[in-house]
Amino acid sequence: MRSIFAFLLPLALLAGCAAPPSSPVPEDTALESSPSSLSPDDDTQDGTLFDRELSVTVDGGRTLTLVAHCKETAMEGFSAYGTGTIDVLDGEDRLQTLNVGEGVLTLEENPAASSAEVYPTVFESFYLPTLEDLNFDSAQDILCMCDMGTVNGSYLCWLWDPAQGRFTDGPGLLGYAVEPAPDARQVRVSSRGGWGTYDTDIYVPDEHGTLVHVKNIHEAPAADGSGTPQVTVRELVNGQWAERTE
């Protein structure tokens, strides 16, 4: 996964057209404040810390509060944003803290990302944490973009587990669109590779509500140069991946 800072200003111009339809602009519930521990010079250099607060509905209509601890960093003509940790509150009680840096570590084995001070960076504030029912159990789950390339973004997700009364790690998702389809009970993740190369990855919840990757549809230009793309389907069948060409 390529670091977001390798693209700087050109990526900022592209990011607007890559906004995932599953991550609509949330209501402006951000609670912004100047960090008390930073001097004005530090604030300019290291970015401005702020909190984004969201109400999340879980099992039985129970409402919890998420407080995402975020950072805005001014760059050349635009701002970059990142999320460090997310506190899950039940009233005044903190149920748990989700660490975005630790999540990134599981995706790319980057030791530097294990620090709670890491704020993986994206270029629009509406890519900060959003809520989706990803496993179709009527409880909202958390979707958080943690890195962005020229087209695709890397997402962390946390799924509400009613038995444990807390959010648990879901799979890492890579693509420009993460689209839950409740009628089909599946999540479709669309991504783009090189010219004419596209992938659709399909996830479905198992009996425990865990999202399982069950299918990949890979579309690439035909080897013979014809206009008909070559489609390869890999599907999980009885615990084994099977491949066919269409």
Side-chain angles (χ1 to χ4, degrees):
M1 181 169 57
R2 301 180 64 184
S3 171
I4 191 64
F5 292 104
F7 299 97
L8 297 179
L9 184 57
L11 177 56
L13 299 176
L14 290 171
C17 65
S22 65
S23 304
V25 180
E27 295 182 5
D28 186 11
T29 54
L31 304 178
E32 300 193 14
S33 60
S34 298
S36 57
S37 60
L38 297 178
S39 69
D41 289 342
D42 290 335
D43 186 63
T44 301
Q45 178 179 351
D46 297 331
T48 300
L49 302 177
F50 66 96
D51 290 342
R52 176 176 292 270
E53 185 173 309
L54 298 170
S55 293
V56 55
T57 302
V58 293
D59 54 297
R62 178 185 177 194
T63 300
L64 304 175
T65 300
L66 304 181
V67 181
H69 303 292
C70 307
K71 179 186 287 188
E72 178 180 1
T73 304
M75 305 185 78
E76 296 184 9
F78 58 93
S79 291
Y81 299 86
T83 303
T85 56
I86 304 171
D87 288 330
V88 182
L89 306 178
D90 185 2
E92 298 297 322
D93 298 327
R94 184 171 65 182
L95 295 181
Q96 65 184 127
T97 296
L98 307 173
N99 190 312
V100 176
E102 289 180 357
V104 173
L105 177 64
T106 66
L107 294 183
E108 60 181 33
E109 299 182 357
N110 179 359
S114 63
S115 168
E117 298 304 315
V118 170
Y119 290 81
T121 306
V122 295
F123 279 96
E124 296 286 351
S125 60
F126 57 74
Y127 287 117
L128 294 173
T130 57
L131 304 175
E132 295 282 354
D133 183 1
L134 296 171
N135 56 3
F136 316 109
D137 62 354
S138 299
Q140 291 178 305
D141 307 302
I142 305 170
L143 188 65
C144 179
M145 181 183 278
C146 60
D147 196 11
M148 188 174 189
T150 52
V151 175
N152 302 316
S154 294
Y155 293 85
L156 298 171
C157 66
W158 291 273
L159 308 175
W160 177 255
D161 185 334
Q164 298 187 48
R166 59 193 290 116
F167 288 96
T168 58
D169 295 339
L173 307 175
L174 175 66
Y176 60 82
V178 178
E179 301 174 295
D183 291 343
R185 293 185 61 80
Q186 61 181 221
V187 177
R188 298 173 65 89
V189 182
S190 303
S191 60
R192 192 175 78 192
W195 182 86
T197 303
Y198 300 89
D199 282 272
T200 301
D201 290 287
I202 296 176
Y203 296 79
V204 300
D206 65 11
E207 65 274 16
H208 305 294
T210 302
L211 281 183
V212 180
H213 186 201
V214 297
K215 182 182 288 189
N216 169 264
I217 305 170
H218 179 75
E219 181 178 316
D224 60 8
S226 65
T228 302
Q230 179 177 323
V231 178
T232 303
V233 179
R234 296 178 64 248
E235 192 164 10
L236 191 64
V237 180
N238 297 325
Q240 301 292 325
W241 286 96
E243 183 174 306
R244 67 180 188 273
T245 301
E246 297 183 348

